[in-house]
Amino acid sequence: QVQLVESGGGSVQAGGSLRLSCVVSGYTDIDGYCMGWFRQAPGEELDGVASITSSGAISYIDSVKDRFTLSRDNAKATLYLQMNNLRPEDTAIYYCAATLCWTFAHGYGPVSRESASGHWGQGTQVTVSS
């Protein structure tokens, strides 16, 4: 059984930093998915944030480039998202996911994670105040 468990969310002021972690178990990458992070604010779309391919290529959406850094520790089976210089518009629930690679750039639209393909964590709340 695949499990993705996120941690590290919280409340910070604008300009602050947080590091999200995602511990992965039971996942064997046989589906050819990418892994990474999505986010969803209330009433908004499920948007990709950053992804990593099985070969280690990392991509970011434009709004988080130069502020967020995705990394992976294979020995610990953990994915990280270091978020610096946070902005109020970064406020959302952040989900760790193993899913279709193209969806990280295009998002899943106005759906919940339960409707998305692949494997998803429960999410961790990030709140940034101005």
Side-chain angles (χ1 to χ4, degrees):
Q1 181 179 358
V2 178
Q3 284 193 315
L4 287 73
V5 180
E6 304 99 334
S7 62
S11 297
V12 296
Q13 290 190 325
S17 298
L18 286 171
R19 188 176 82 154
L20 307 183
S21 299
C22 172
V23 178
V24 182
S25 61
Y27 181 63
T28 59
D29 193 26
I30 61 173
D31 300 304
Y33 288 149
C34 288
M35 295 201 67
W37 296 88
F38 281 75
R39 66 186 180 186
Q40 189 167 38
E44 300 293 329
E45 298 186 349
L46 184 58
D47 291 327
V49 176
S51 65
I52 184 167
T53 68
S54 57
S55 61
I58 297 174
S59 300
Y60 302 93
I61 58 171
D62 286 345
S63 63
V64 307
K65 283 180 181 176
D66 300 324
R67 299 190 298 124
F68 291 11
T69 302
L70 186 152
S71 61
R72 179 176 65 188
D73 186 331
N74 291 332
K76 295 182 179 179
T78 301
L79 201 66
Y80 301 99
L81 187 68
Q82 176 67 43
M83 305 186 295
N84 297 328
N85 192 20
L86 282 160
R87 303 167 180 169
E89 54 264 38
D90 295 318
T91 295
I93 298 176
Y94 283 69
Y95 298 101
C96 178
T99 187
L100 300 167
C101 295
W102 65 267
T103 62
F104 286 93
H106 298 279
Y108 267 102
V111 300
S112 66
R113 64 174 177 84
E114 288 84 358
S115 300
S117 299
H119 310 284
W120 294 73
Q122 293 295 314
T124 185
Q125 177 71 48
V126 171
T127 302
V128 185
S129 58
S130 57

